Amino acid sequence: MNIYKIYFNHIIELLDKFKLDSNYNFENTEILKKITLEPPKNSINGDMSTNLAMLLSKSLKLNPKEIANKLKPYISKLPNVALVDIAGPGFINITLKQKTWSDCIKKILLDPENWDKQDLGKGKRINLEYISANPTGPLHAGHARGAVFGDALASLLNEVGYKVIREYYINDAGSQIEKLVESSLLRYDECNGKNIKDIPEGLYPGEYLKDVGKALLKKYGKNLKQNSKEDIFNLVREVSLEVIMKMIKEDLYELGIEMDVFTSEHNIISGNLLTDILTILEDKNLTYYGTLDPPKGVDPTKWEKRVQFLFKSTIYGDDSDRALKKSDGSWTYFATDMAYHLDKINRTNGDLINVLGADHTGYISRINAAVNALSNGSISIDTKVCALVNLMENGKPIKMSKRAGNFVTLSDIINAVGKDVIRFIMLTRRNDQSLDFDFKKVMEKSKENPVFYVQYAHARCNSIFKSAKILEENLHIENTELLSGKDEIQLIKFISQWPRTLELAAKNHEPHRICYYLIELSSMFHSLWNKGKDNFNVKFIVEKDIKLTNARLLLVKAVALTIRKGLSILKIKPIFEM
């Protein structure tokens, strides 16, 4: 029950009547794309505000305020409208009758499972690729943010009716795998009793590779190096990837993440997909041999121009054409990536979302061009970049783990604070803004710790029911008209914004909106509870008035229900006692 959607539809309907009655001639289509109905920034301006008059101004060549005044009688006749005001350059502000909000609580609690349901996706498939860390070691702290963001977004999109494929791309080809094999062989020798002393520069120093060495010794004994050089490489590569991917999957599981698909870069290269992209692009005359200008920041005098096989990506909005083959005839990484995206397109039959690290911003335009070309524009791709996470201890940068080389592992963080804290804190900023993760602050039991603040609100709801000696599920859904206090009505109005928040978060691929909403809802609830300590009239439990107590407990129930819904999307368990 999205009350904003209900009144939005009312306004769309009255637009046709206004057009007919006034004998105006304007095109509805463009107006319908831009019309908004949303809560005003300041609640003093009413419950809802629309820009309709300003949109009509250009078509009708009239002052927006004049149009707003003409629309006012139509909007005033909508159900439960108490007041219509014109503000600023022509915004139409709408105030609804108090009954609307007390009825909202009743409707929410009569159908608690479905009151916020919406089917934006209509079963459409979306491939969401996230994490995709190189399989050369365990996940580190920097991966945590993209992992949580991607998983929360997948959960959010599933909630509104999409069928999401959670995908991990294993970069198991290239120079980093060659380094991994060499590093693993070193640890194999160590397990065989050889003193390896210092790890040579350029190889992976992490002690996690001792597990790979042990696995190699267990599987092949001391005879591994009796094989041919090529066989040794393949055998070590297979075991190394198996051991490290097992570590990665275990860490993800502890963080509450289970992927649907793991795709191998090695398999993409070994298959026919590179040939397929070449055929598609050549059939569209999108390839040529040529040279590229130096990238931004590179001295032109030091740039060697080489003839390469290029994709005309600038046709699709990229800032430069892109090389598919190097001058020696081998495929570029970008060509492999195009092949991988063709694979995703073929498997998904739906749109794509990529979640990448902070160093991949320049990648967006080229892969957008690739997907556009390969799909004839029928598939959209949204690439989200997650900014850096700064790990802190009481305001100072820290390093926690010696065993993993020079980085803090994801398992270190999970062991230190738990998965729920990580999942919530990682979404307290927009994905493209840097985030400070302070181990001391995220464990504080104070208002300054947002995850504690939200969980405390839910636990406080539960404690109110205990004090009232009634189970949440045994409340009678009646007498909601007794919820008439200013703060009570404001809280109901904010609860009623939950379906709209859900919709906007899903449409914009912004799961942090869920966190923001939960923090604000908790703040409003705590504020109302605190007022009850000093003012008997606003306490939730009024001993001499059973009906009023029941009504106020219904409000508490609606708060608890909404917090649980939000936390469920974030895959965080609500706390009932603190």
Side-chain angles (χ1 to χ4, degrees), residues 67-243:
I67 298 171
N69 280 304
K70 289 177 180 289
L71 286 165
K72 188 174 179 179
Y74 291 85
I75 295 174
S76 297
K77 292 178 183 177
L78 295 180
N80 291 322
V81 170
L83 183 67
V84 179
D85 281 327
I86 315 303
F91 284 106
I92 303 174
N93 294 332
I94 305 166
T95 301
L96 301 178
K97 294 176 182 177
Q98 182 175 300
K99 180 181 183 298
T100 309
W101 303 111
S102 56
D103 283 350
C104 264
I105 288 293
K106 188 178 293 185
K107 290 174 182 176
I108 288 168
L109 298 181
L110 283 171
D111 193 10
E113 294 303 314
N114 299 303
W115 77 277
D116 59 340
K117 287 295 180 188
Q118 41 202 309
D119 192 16
L120 299 176
K122 301 187 184 303
K124 185 177 179 182
R125 289 159 65 88
I126 287 183
N127 182 294
L128 205 169
E129 182 211 334
Y130 56 108
I131 311 168
S132 297
N134 287 342
T136 53
L139 296 176
H140 58 68
H143 297 126
R145 190 173 191 185
V148 170
F149 174 85
D151 202 55
L153 179 55
S155 180
L156 171 61
L157 293 172
N158 275 330
E159 179 70 19
V160 298
Y162 289 94
K163 292 183 178 179
V164 181
I165 301 163
R166 293 170 162 90
E167 181 148 348
Y168 188 118
Y169 185 44
I170 307 171
N171 299 116
D172 54 357
S175 60
Q176 78 273 12
I177 299 302
E178 294 170 5
K179 282 172 58 178
L180 174 64
V181 167
E182 194 175 345
S183 304
S184 297
L185 274 172
L186 206 63
R187 294 299 187 178
Y188 168 75
D189 288 340
E190 185 180 38
C191 288
N192 268 321
K194 183 178 179 180
N195 184 359
I196 63 173
K197 297 182 181 179
D198 295 330
I199 304 295
E201 188 175 348
L203 298 188
Y204 298 115
E207 293 200 3
Y208 59 86
L209 285 175
K210 288 184 176 181
D211 291 341
V212 178
K214 291 175 185 175
L216 286 167
L217 184 61
K218 182 178 180 181
K219 188 167 186 177
Y220 298 110
K222 297 186 177 183
N223 302 318
L224 174 62
K225 289 192 172 180
Q226 293 179 7
N227 294 285
S228 68
K229 188 175 181 180
E230 183 180 353
D231 285 345
I232 291 172
F233 179 88
N234 289 330
L235 294 173
V236 175
R237 175 186 173 278
E238 180 183 356
V239 171
S240 300
L241 290 172
E242 181 182 332
V243 171

Side-chain angles (χ1 to χ4, degrees), residues 504-520:
L504 290 174
K507 283 183 174 179
N508 293 290
H509 299 166
E510 293 180 341
H512 71 270
R513 288 177 182 254
I514 306 298
C515 260
Y516 287 11
Y517 176 88
L518 291 177
I519 292 168
E520 190 169 351

Side-chain angles (χ1 to χ4, degrees), residues 490-518:
Q490 285 300 110
L491 186 53
I492 295 171
K493 288 178 181 180
F494 194 74
I495 293 170
S496 300
Q497 288 185 32
W498 167 244
R500 180 177 179 273
T501 300
L502 199 58
E503 178 182 356
L504 290 174
K507 283 183 174 179
N508 293 290
H509 299 166
E510 293 180 341
H512 71 270
R513 288 177 182 254
I514 306 298
C515 260
Y516 287 11
Y517 176 88
L518 291 177

Side-chain angles (χ1 to χ4, degrees), residues 406-422:
N406 62 351
F407 57 83
V408 181
T409 65
L410 176 58
S411 62
D412 285 330
I413 308 177
I414 296 172
N415 291 335
V417 302
K419 85 168 179 69
D420 286 355
V421 169
I422 297 170

Side-chain angles (χ1 to χ4, degrees), residues 391-409:
L391 292 181
M392 320 284 283
E393 179 69 59
N394 202 19
K396 296 179 180 179
I398 62 163
K399 288 184 179 180
M400 284 176 52
S401 175
K402 293 180 180 178
R403 69 176 178 82
N406 62 351
F407 57 83
V408 181
T409 65

Side-chain angles (χ1 to χ4, degrees), residues 378-397:
S378 63
I379 300 296
S380 74
I381 178 169
D382 183 18
T383 301
K384 296 290 187 181
V385 173
C386 288
L388 294 174
V389 176
N390 304 309
L391 292 181
M392 320 284 283
E393 179 69 59
N394 202 19
K396 296 179 180 179

Side-chain angles (χ1 to χ4, degrees), residues 15 18-19 22-35 51-64 66-67 70-71:
L15 186 58
F18 171 72
K19 183 177 181 179
S22 307
N23 200 26
Y24 286 133
N25 184 22
F26 56 84
E27 179 56 52
N28 282 17
T29 308
E30 287 304 310
I31 291 170
L32 293 180
K33 288 180 183 177
K34 298 177 181 178
I35 186 173
N51 62 347
L52 177 58
M54 290 179 287
L55 293 177
L56 287 171
S57 176
K58 185 176 180 181
S59 299
L60 302 183
K61 295 181 172 54
L62 292 172
N63 184 288
E66 183 180 346
I67 298 171
K70 289 177 180 289
L71 286 165

